[in-house]
Amino acid sequence: MTLIKSISGIRGTIGGKTGDNLTPVDAVKFASAYGTWLQNYCNKKDLKVVIGRDARISGPMIHNLVVNTLIALGIDVIDLGLSTTPTVEVAVPMENADGGIILTASHNPKQWNALKLLNEKGEFLSGAEGLKILEIAEAEAFDFADVDNLGEIQINDSYMDIHIDEVLDLPLVDIDAVKAAKFKVVVDGVNSSGGIIIPRLLKLMGVEVVELYCEPNGHFPHNPEPLKEHLTDISELVVKEKADLGIVVDPDVDRLAFISEDGEMFGEEYTLVAVADYVLSRTPGNTVSNMSSSRALRDVTNKHNGTYEASAVGEVNVVELMKKNNAVIGGEGNGGIIYPELHYGRDSLVGVALFLTHLAYKKMKVSELRASYPEYYMSKNKIELTPMIDVDAILLAMTEKYRSEDCKTIDGVKIDFAENWVHLRKSNTEPIIRIYTEAASQAEADSLALRVIDEIKAIAGI
């Protein structure tokens, strides 16, 4: 099955059988469930929802299905058309809308699509809210409007420019400093909406832009997840063009990665570290990332006399803890920057603007900036178990084994050792334990992972 229903939305591959893949019937069903939940949640008439999509091939089809389903429920739609996840998040409160839907499968390949669901703040729904939508979908408890009470569509294609203006108006974004630096940047937009909005932002900051895969046709030229093994083309082009850096985003522009001037990866984990370093230098405060993110953010936060805390994995969990701790910046180690000064959502535009300002002030090469941060290396593994094995019992046994260490159990088991850490998380859909480790060298991170895998196998008797 490639239809995944979760509290954060629904995603799947296009085509196939209803209930097994993301078919038109499934798109209508879950759009109906979201609209019905919103009617109950808001308890009012005249609801309004903002909708935007990335450039993937199935986008127009899914978009039309979702828009017309909401109209059939009597809900008005503000249609942004081709957009980004953070742009929709910005638009929802600006439009005084009651919710939002982003049609994107984020970093998944082109055969995938998804419905990401937002509340009236332009933030992702809580687990309880998402669960309620799944229950409504399962029961098919929909009540559509009669012909005199159908919703209406308002098309507004200006929000990418509005989003850019909001970013450029941030006090910590120094356009003049960036212009003076005369940066040359290669942009890989993976042939989605990032290919429009990132070059547009850069040009307004006085940056010379070399575009790579910036045609928003949905034909992703490589795996769209911004990992090193997928980014050989931009790495080579940065060196060939003698550019100062490369910028890579995923299809919905909420993950951000940099390439140094020598063609080497800056490191997705260090996107947040560098931006946080700049923000904390100007506005001291606290930070938050998730448990599987690098320890480097903690180190940088401590340097600026702030407090760092880790949340369970998942953007909604990071945001919740950021609000609780009044964090000035946070995010996830996959290149997701959350800057509350603008909104509580991962936003590559904010990340780009703050990073370039930081770089302009530092007057360093990107590789030199990277070298200025603590050096950590990660290893990401998984161990597949049989369905008969009690995964929770294994995690409990590992917690007991390391009870003398700093163990956290809010999301699987995170064991913080003095020099390294390991995070064990079970899959919600498969008998799998994911194993993340971090240490001061790759060899040490790999060795720690192998040791933990052996310990789990011994506990499981395999």
Side-chain angles (χ1 to χ4, degrees):
M1 290 179 62
T2 50
L3 183 67
I4 302 171
K5 308 168 189 177
S6 73
I7 57 175
S8 59
I10 178 175
R11 62 188 171 102
T13 53
I14 298 299
K17 296 181 179 180
T18 301
D20 287 343
N21 303 77
L22 185 54
T23 68
V25 173
D26 294 295
V28 169
K29 181 177 178 179
F30 280 86
S32 300
Y34 172 72
T36 300
W37 169 81
L38 203 61
Q39 290 170 331
N40 297 332
Y41 173 75
C42 296
N43 193 27
K44 68 173 186 177
K45 296 181 179 180
D46 303 322
L47 295 179
K48 184 166 55 174
V49 171
V50 177
I51 293 186
R53 64 176 179 86
D54 70 13
R56 60 187 65 233
I57 298 166
S58 62
M61 177 191 71
I62 299 296
H63 174 268
N64 287 333
L65 290 164
V66 170
V67 166
N68 286 295
T69 298
L70 294 177
I71 289 169
L73 286 165
I75 297 172
D76 293 335
V77 171
I78 300 173
D79 182 4
L80 306 191
L82 193 61
S83 191
T84 77
T85 288
T87 303
V88 176
E89 291 171 342
V90 166
V92 169
M94 292 185 76
E95 288 290 332
N96 293 314
D98 301 288
I101 301 177
I102 309 122
L103 305 173
T104 175
S106 193
H107 61 273
N108 289 101
K110 69 178 183 179
Q111 63 266 34
W112 289 78
N113 213 328
L115 281 66
K116 288 186 176 182
L117 309 176
L118 305 176
N119 63 18
E120 77 282 1
K121 297 176 183 177
E123 299 169 12
F124 288 112
L125 305 185
S126 70
E129 291 165 341
L131 186 61
K132 184 63 178 175
I133 291 171
L134 292 177
E135 291 172 353
I136 293 170
E138 185 66 26
E140 297 189 3
F142 319 132
D143 186 8
F144 294 98
D146 60 41
V147 70
D148 293 318
N149 292 290
L150 299 176
E152 297 180 351
I153 303 175
Q154 176 189 337
I155 295 174
N156 188 335
D157 61 3
S158 65
Y159 260 98
M160 283 207 275
D161 288 327
I162 292 171
H163 184 186
I164 290 171
D165 290 342
E166 291 292 309
V167 170
L168 295 179
D169 284 342
L170 290 168
L172 292 193
V173 174
D174 191 333
I175 301 173
D176 292 335
V178 174
K179 285 182 177 178
K182 300 184 185 305
F183 290 128
K184 181 178 183 180
V185 175
V186 179
V187 176
D188 180 351
V190 73
N191 285 344
S192 191
S193 45
I196 300 173
I197 199 167
I198 298 297
R200 194 177 293 176
L201 169 71
L202 292 173
K203 289 170 185 176
L204 288 172
M205 298 185 77
V207 175
E208 180 184 350
V209 180
V210 178
E211 296 185 9
L212 174 69
Y213 307 136
C214 287
E215 181 65 31
N217 57 28
H219 292 282
F220 304 151
H222 54 75
N223 186 306
E225 188 166 14
L227 302 177
K228 179 178 181 178
E229 57 266 30
H230 306 149
L231 302 177
T232 54
D233 290 351
I234 187 172
S235 295
E236 292 171 0
L237 191 56
V238 166
V239 175
K240 180 182 177 182
E241 291 285 343
K242 296 182 172 57
D244 295 288
L245 70 153
I247 293 175
V248 184
V249 292
D250 65 339
D252 68 324
V253 201
D254 65 357
R255 287 178 61 175
L256 173 65
F258 297 116
I259 310 293
S260 298
E261 80 287 346
D262 55 5
E264 293 297 317
M265 291 291 295
F266 190 79
E268 260 197 315
E269 291 287 336
Y270 285 83
T271 299
L272 175 57
V273 173
V275 173
D277 183 29
Y278 170 59
V279 170
L280 292 170
S281 72
R282 303 283 165 161
T283 52
N286 303 326
T287 65
V288 170
S289 64
N290 67 42
M291 285 189 156
S292 291
S293 298
S294 176
R295 197 178 262 185
L297 180 61
R298 180 205 65 180
D299 295 351
V300 166
T301 305
N302 290 343
K303 181 184 76 171
H304 292 288
N305 299 314
T307 299
Y308 166 80
E309 194 170 347
S311 76
V313 173
E315 183 174 332
V316 67
N317 298 316
V318 174
V319 168
E320 182 181 357
L321 189 57
M322 286 181 69
K323 290 179 178 180
K324 178 182 175 183
N325 291 0
N326 197 27
V328 296
I329 189 163
E332 297 183 290
N334 60 7
I337 304 293
I338 302 175
Y339 187 49
E341 184 76 14
L342 183 56
H343 68 115
Y344 277 104
R346 296 185 305 181
D347 191 330
S348 294
L349 277 74
V350 168
V352 166
L354 293 173
F355 183 86
L356 289 180
T357 301
H358 185 38
L359 193 63
Y361 286 165
K362 285 288 188 178
K363 301 185 186 300
M364 289 179 170
K365 293 181 178 180
V366 175
S367 60
E368 293 170 340
L369 181 64
R370 173 64 179 81
S372 71
Y373 296 120
E375 195 74 26
Y376 291 108
Y377 296 84
M378 280 193 175
S379 181
K380 299 181 180 181
N381 301 270
K382 64 182 179 180
I383 179 168
E384 298 186 13
L385 306 169
T386 66
M388 303 301 293
I389 293 176
D390 188 339
V391 176
D392 289 321
I394 291 175
L395 295 179
L396 185 62
M398 290 296 288
T399 304
E400 179 63 21
K401 179 179 177 67
Y402 289 102
R403 63 183 181 276
S404 63
E405 303 290 346
D406 180 8
C407 286
K408 299 180 179 67
T409 57
I410 62 170
D411 184 10
V413 181
K414 171 88 176 276
I415 308 166
D416 259 311
F417 302 104
E419 302 299 328
N420 48 47
W421 57 259
V422 58
H423 188 196
L424 309 176
R425 300 183 71 236
K426 74 170 185 176
S427 168
N428 291 324
T429 57
E430 304 170 273
I432 285 174
I433 296 178
R434 301 189 188 280
I435 301 161
Y436 305 89
T437 60
E438 185 178 65
S441 72
Q442 192 63 57
E444 186 182 350
D446 292 340
S447 176
L448 176 59
L450 290 174
R451 188 187 91 199
V452 169
I453 289 171
D454 286 342
E455 290 170 351
I456 290 172
K457 286 182 176 179
I459 292 170
I462 57 176

